[in-house]
């Protein structure tokens, strides 16, 4: 299985569930976002967690080119 397909199968369903949850509970997620943005510590900690995940995606899926075989 190619890395692109693996990442799509991993990230796609997670984003779908999150999107449906936000759509179904808009008020609760708006309040959650306001509380989150009020806390500088939470923003910093989430950045510490998200940065290695993003870096891992870039390192394993380092394809810079046009076309299928690039």
């Amino acid at each position: 299985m190619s890395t692109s397909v693996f990442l799509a199968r991993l990230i796609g369903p997670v984003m779908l569930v999150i999107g449906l949850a936000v759509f179904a509970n808009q008020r609760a997620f708006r309040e959650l976002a306001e509380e989150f943005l009020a806390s500088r510590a939470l923003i910093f900690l989430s950045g510490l967690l998200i940065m290695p995940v993003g870096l891992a995606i870039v390192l394993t899926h380092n394809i810079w080119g046009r076309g299928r075989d690039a």
Side-chain angles (χ1 to χ4, degrees), residues 47-64:
L48 285 176
L49 293 174
I50 292 170
M51 180 77 130
V53 173
L55 185 58
I57 290 172
V58 170
L59 290 175
T60 60
H61 192 257
N62 193 9
I63 300 171
W64 302 93

Side-chain angles (χ1 to χ4, degrees), residues 9-62:
R9 287 183 176 178
L10 179 68
I11 298 170
V14 172
M15 292 296 139
L16 180 65
V17 169
I18 290 171
L20 291 172
V22 170
F23 183 72
N25 303 306
Q26 293 178 13
R27 183 178 297 154
F29 275 95
R30 188 178 315 265
E31 293 171 2
L32 180 72
E34 289 172 1
E35 290 177 20
F36 179 81
L37 292 174
S39 173
R40 291 174 41 191
L42 275 178
I43 293 173
F44 178 75
L45 288 175
S46 68
L48 285 176
L49 293 174
I50 292 170
M51 180 77 130
V53 173
L55 185 58
I57 290 172
V58 170
L59 290 175
T60 60
H61 192 257
N62 193 9

